[in-house]
Amino acid sequence: MKTSDLLRVSILFLFLCCYCELQGQTTVWSEDFSTYTNGTISGTGSGASPVNWNSQSGAAVSGGVILASDTRNVASSTLANPLIWVTDPIDISPYTSVDFSLDTGAFNVGDFENTGGNRDNFTLEYRIDGGSWIQVFSQSGSASQPISPSYTISGLSGLTLEIRASFHNTATNENYTIDNVLVIGNSATPNQPPVLIATGDQQYCPGGMVPVVQSISITDPDDTTAFAAAIQISSGYVPGEDLLTLTGTHPSITATWSVVEGKLTLTGPALLAEFEAAVSAVQYSSSSPSPSGNRGFSITVGDANYLPPTGHYYEFVAVPGITWTDARNAAAARTYYGLQGYLATLTSQAEADFSGSQALGVGWIGASDNATEGDWQWVTGPEAGTSFWSGGVAGTELTYAFWNANEPNDFPDGPVTPGEENYAHITDPSVTSTPGSWNDLPNAGGGGAYAPQGYVVEYGGTPGDPILNVSDNSSITIDNTAPTASNPAAINVFCAADVPPVDIGVVTDEVDNCTVNPIVTFLNETSNGGSNPEIITRTYRVSDQAGNNTDVSQTINVFPVLILSEPLDVAILVNQNAIFTVSGQNANTYQWQVSTNAGVSFSTILDGPDYSGTSTSSLTLIGPEIDKNGYIFRVLVNNSGSLTCTEVASQNASLTVRPPTMITNRRITYRVNKN
């Protein structure tokens, strides 16, 4: 702002403030360029909608005004390639109408040309809701095309307003200026906030996508359109993995994803019904093959960040170089749908993460020990006067604090020269391993990574605040349902050699709610140490893509083939039947053998004239003659279900065959006929 204009502008602001109070007007956006250093080409206005402005290097701040001196267009007969100064879209949706004004100037008027080979020009334009630019004036500044010292445009309405100035100079001594840009909103009746109701509690399957809401309703008693809506991952956010995506076609809405905030902003303007359709089409996904935990989402009409656990809204305002006291005052001048703003008071880890590591920048917060050194208090908002930390680096946490390592240190002299750093600021990520943590700084901040970038505003909790329903929340649970599968059928074997190898194919009915083909792996094998039977438990694990698993077990019973009672020696008379028997366990096959060489070797015998029951547990020799005396018999037992078990041989049993009974009389022996 030029010193010569101070009185005139002060009177203008006084009139506007009085008029605003009487007529229900609001300063929507203003900029007088007085706080910027020469050469600045971007900044942030103040007011109810404090958006940014930008310009090019030939149209920069100089002496408290925007001074345009464009040397690129010397001897140019066209108006191509002008310098541009322009605002971002200013939210004017809460007002029935808006007026904007600004001061203009032209220096070295006698040198301005409006025709011919050296053509100069200054054009002022505005547009509503991103439409076509509307020209306010386009003059050279010469005597025949003078530029007024100020311009005012009244009676505008819509959702957004943008202001643009274009400068075209053909000599370095020809300058245009703008200053004291002011946008005033007129409200016949207070704008009613919208009401948003959302539901959503779903399960996410890794590798897929899931809508963040199951239903959404946005209503507004006095509007059918909105400028923006936002969906933010308010809890459980994993940067670099989690993603929100607007699916489908939405011609009136532009989606912008912020990986820092975990936030998808939907920008209109658009009908409320269009925003409903867009929010319904927003889907969550994760690039991690095995994500875990839960995700909470906040859905808000507007662009402030909503934190469900507190019910408050948070906003980072970028104003590089702003002091703590100016930030405190600027935050207190801000409102959000009637909620009073204040420098954020971060009383929990959820708030610290949300307003620190999950914010677009680092800035001042509402803590100070300026009143009493070492007594760190929240000095803004509903918590004003609450002490949360006592002392310095090795101090005592009284409620909740999130200081960076070796903070608050009152740098550079600490307790030697107290009072040098009395204001809390969120630490720049480049100088901390705990993003979102705090450090203490002087009122003006420091340099480099310790230079103030802006401030964090919190809305909510102030006595008299209205009750808003412009936000709601939903959640998803990363798939935590384990796959299902049946225990494989038990099997019985008859020796260790028959125990089958590990085979994941025995699990045949595995199924999962998310993963099409769950993975089966062998987990372990245990034995009860028994012998009859030995019980082997073989465990397999069925896992899905999210890491959920179910264990199933197969029982393998080892029933060994045993001989419980051995065959006994048999003695008979010639032509009497001889019977050998054996008793086995887990055996169902028998094969008797005979040895005619005193047990040196055995040969298999079959049923016939001499033998019966050769493949049973009882062998019968049919009327053996004396020639079989001394034969030795044994049996091989097994189980037909065995594939590889070795037959178990019984003990040997011998056969003794005697001649029939003899009767002797007077030294004469008579053989008794067998009949």
Side-chain angles (χ1 to χ4, degrees):
M1 181 184 294
K2 295 178 290 185
T3 305
S4 60
D5 290 337
L6 182 58
L7 178 59
R8 175 173 60 81
V9 175
S10 298
I11 294 172
L12 174 63
F13 269 89
L14 178 61
F15 167 77
L16 288 172
C17 290
C18 294
Y19 184 78
C20 290
E21 183 176 352
L22 292 173
Q23 300 297 322
Q25 294 186 328
T26 302
T27 299
V28 181
W29 193 85
S30 67
E31 180 61 270
D32 64 7
F33 309 106
S34 62
T35 62
Y36 303 102
T37 59
N38 290 346
T40 299
I41 59 173
S42 64
T44 304
S46 60
S49 178
V51 302
N52 298 331
W53 58 266
N54 295 277
S55 63
Q56 294 166 275
S57 59
V61 172
S62 178
V65 300
I66 290 292
L67 178 68
S69 178
D70 192 357
T71 61
R72 301 171 305 160
N73 297 304
V74 175
S76 174
S77 60
T78 69
L79 299 181
N81 197 31
L83 292 173
I84 300 293
W85 177 93
V86 65
T87 69
D88 285 350
I90 301 166
D91 183 10
I92 61 173
S93 61
Y95 313 102
T96 55
S97 67
V98 295
D99 310 329
F100 81 85
S101 62
L102 78 167
D103 296 341
T104 60
F107 298 94
N108 296 320
V109 173
D111 290 335
F112 287 119
E113 300 86 20
N114 58 295
T115 60
N118 297 322
R119 190 176 180 191
D120 303 296
N121 188 263
F122 181 175
T123 300
L124 177 65
E125 300 167 296
Y126 70 90
R127 67 177 178 181
I128 302 294
D129 297 343
S132 300
W133 290 100
I134 300 172
Q135 190 178 97
V136 177
F137 71 84
S138 181
Q139 304 282 78
S140 68
S142 64
S144 61
Q145 291 187 350
I147 296 174
S148 298
S150 64
Y151 289 87
T152 299
I153 304 297
S154 302
L156 304 178
S157 62
L159 297 177
T160 62
L161 166 68
E162 295 167 81
I163 305 170
R164 181 172 74 177
S166 304
F167 312 103
H168 191 277
N169 311 94
T170 58
T172 57
N173 64 343
E174 299 168 346
N175 304 126
Y176 298 115
T177 64
I178 59 172
D179 195 7
N180 302 319
V181 186
L182 182 64
V183 180
I184 296 294
N186 308 298
S187 299
T189 57
N191 184 46
Q192 298 298 310
V195 175
L196 185 149
I197 300 174
T199 63
D201 184 8
Q202 303 182 85
Q203 192 171 70
Y204 171 71
C205 294
M209 301 179 76
V210 64
V212 299
V213 298
Q214 292 170 289
S215 68
I216 179 76
S217 169
I218 306 173
T219 58
D220 194 318
D222 53 10
D223 284 305
T224 60
T225 59
F227 178 68
I231 303 94
Q232 187 168 25
I233 305 174
S234 53
S235 64
Y237 176 53
V238 181
E241 294 182 3
D242 292 346
L243 179 66
L244 297 178
T245 305
L246 176 62
T247 63
T249 302
H250 307 272
S252 302
I253 293 175
T254 301
T256 305
W257 167 248
S258 169
V259 70
V260 174
E261 297 176 288
K263 177 179 176 180
L264 185 71
T265 301
L266 307 177
T267 305
L271 295 171
L272 298 181
E274 292 179 291
F275 275 110
E276 288 177 339
V279 173
S280 296
V282 173
Q283 299 203 4
Y284 166 84
S285 63
S286 171
S287 60
S288 170
S290 301
S292 61
N294 301 326
R295 302 290 186 271
F297 304 94
S298 62
I299 304 99
T300 306
V301 180
D303 196 38
N305 297 336
Y306 175 67
L307 183 61
T310 64
H312 292 187
Y313 298 84
Y314 304 81
E315 179 183 24
F316 173 74
V317 180
V319 185
I322 191 171
T323 66
W324 183 90
T325 52
D326 285 346
R328 177 198 60 194
N329 296 338
R334 300 174 74 87
T335 60
Y336 185 72
Y337 287 116
L339 299 179
Q340 177 60 53
Y342 50 91
L343 274 186
T345 56
L346 310 179
T347 60
S348 69
Q349 191 63 50
E351 277 193 293
D353 291 341
F354 199 60
S355 301
S357 59
Q358 206 171 331
L360 284 176
V362 294
W364 295 113
I365 57 176
S368 172
D369 72 340
N370 191 52
T372 302
E373 181 64 31
D375 179 19
W376 280 94
Q377 296 185 354
W378 297 114
V379 295
T380 59
E383 286 83 14
T386 301
S387 297
F388 66 88
W389 182 269
S390 178
V393 171
T396 302
E397 184 178 60
L398 304 178
T399 56
Y400 170 80
F402 193 39
W403 294 110
N404 190 26
N406 299 315
E407 300 288 352
N409 60 6
D410 213 29
F411 182 82
D413 297 319
V416 176
T417 309
E420 294 181 304
E421 294 187 324
N422 293 335
Y423 304 95
H425 190 278
I426 296 174
T427 310
D428 189 274
S430 66
V431 291
T432 181
S433 60
T434 52
S437 59
W438 317 332
N439 65 303
D440 56 336
L441 292 175
N443 184 55
Y450 298 96
Q453 298 180 21
Y455 55 97
V456 181
V457 187
E458 182 174 354
Y459 304 93
T462 301
D465 274 352
I467 298 174
L468 296 184
N469 294 294
V470 299
S471 297
D472 210 337
N473 55 281
S474 65
S475 64
I476 65 166
T477 301
I478 306 297
D479 173 31
N480 61 1
T481 302
T484 61
S486 302
N487 289 326
I491 59 174
N492 298 328
V493 297
F494 302 96
C495 64
D498 265 358
V499 175
V502 170
D503 179 12
I504 61 174
V506 299
V507 183
T508 59
D509 60 350
E510 67 274 16
V511 66
D512 185 66
N513 63 314
C514 284
T515 304
V516 176
N517 294 306
I519 303 300
V520 180
T521 56
F522 170 69
L523 189 61
N524 58 48
E525 181 176 285
T526 61
S527 169
N528 70 342
S531 60
N532 188 21
E534 178 190 9
I535 301 175
I536 298 171
T537 302
R538 188 171 282 172
T539 303
Y540 297 90
R541 175 157 290 174
V542 184
S543 304
D544 65 14
Q545 196 169 348
N548 306 302
N549 57 72
T550 295
D551 292 345
V552 295
S553 298
Q554 182 182 43
T555 300
I556 303 173
N557 301 302
V558 183
F559 294 101
V561 175
L562 302 174
I563 295 177
L564 299 181
S565 62
E566 299 285 348
L568 300 176
D569 294 343
V570 175
I572 61 169
L573 297 177
V574 172
N575 294 322
Q576 287 182 333
N577 288 347
I579 299 174
F580 294 93
T581 61
V582 69
S583 175
Q585 186 178 54
N586 306 320
N588 63 4
T589 66
Y590 302 85
Q591 180 59 61
W592 289 90
Q593 294 180 319
V594 64
S595 173
T596 59
N597 55 7
V600 175
S601 62
F602 285 86
S603 58
T604 298
I605 55 179
L606 302 174
D607 287 357
D610 295 332
Y611 301 101
S612 68
T614 57
S615 60
T616 70
S617 61
S618 180
L619 172 67
T620 299
L621 278 72
I622 303 170
E625 296 292 339
I626 196 70
D627 60 332
K628 290 185 170 61
N629 182 52
Y631 279 17
I632 297 175
F633 295 88
R634 73 177 183 182
V635 64
L636 302 179
V637 298
N638 209 335
N639 191 289
S640 60
S642 171
L643 299 176
T644 57
C645 294
T646 302
E647 295 168 313
V648 177
S650 69
Q651 293 180 1
N652 296 342
S654 62
L655 174 66
T656 301
V657 181
R658 298 189 184 97
T661 303
M662 302 280 183
I663 299 175
T664 306
N665 183 23
R666 293 183 183 180
R667 298 179 186 156
I668 300 173
T669 300
Y670 299 90
R671 186 179 298 277
V672 178
N673 188 289
K674 64 182 178 180
N675 294 322

